[in-house]
Amino acid sequence: MIDIHISTNKLEASETNIYKAKNILETQIGYLEYAPDFGIDYDLFFGSDLEIQIETYQSYAISKLAENGINPLDLITQDGKFDTRLNINIEK
């Protein structure tokens, strides 16, 4: 997948893994008509009555990145009072 971005006031197209990973992790699976399998199934994790452990979500997110050609290098979790932040470092 090629991403289009603005660089020094001009439009450029390139293979940008950071933007691609961001798009994968922010897109609900099935929302894109042209790519129905692209994204993460947020309804499964956050829209159901099931209580799913954070480790299950972490594994799912890493596997979805890998399915789309993004190589995660490591995953760092930061626990807050009410939430957990996931920082995923990816290969360039």
Side-chain angles (χ1 to χ4, degrees):
M1 197 176 279
I2 301 286
D3 289 310
I4 298 173
H5 55 95
I6 297 174
S7 177
T8 10
N9 295 326
K10 60 183 175 180
L11 206 57
E12 294 182 3
S14 63
E15 190 73 34
T16 53
N17 285 340
I18 292 173
Y19 297 125
K20 184 177 180 182
K22 181 179 183 293
N23 287 337
I24 292 167
L25 297 174
E26 290 181 350
T27 302
Q28 168 62 37
I29 199 165
Y31 275 18
L32 300 178
E33 188 173 318
Y34 59 90
D37 294 333
F38 186 82
I40 291 204
D41 192 359
Y42 283 107
D43 291 342
L44 172 67
F45 288 95
F46 304 112
S48 69
D49 293 335
L50 299 172
E51 187 173 324
I52 297 175
Q53 296 176 346
I54 189 68
E55 291 83 7
T56 304
Y57 178 75
Q58 291 172 359
S59 297
Y60 178 71
I62 294 293
S63 70
K64 289 305 263 184
L65 289 173
E67 276 179 30
N68 288 280
I70 305 291
N71 296 323
L73 298 175
D74 64 357
L75 173 74
I76 301 166
T77 58
Q78 296 174 335
D79 292 326
K81 288 185 179 182
F82 302 108
D83 61 359
T84 300
R85 172 181 234 158
L86 304 177
N87 291 319
I88 302 171
N89 294 319
I90 61 172
E91 189 175 74
K92 279 187 170 182

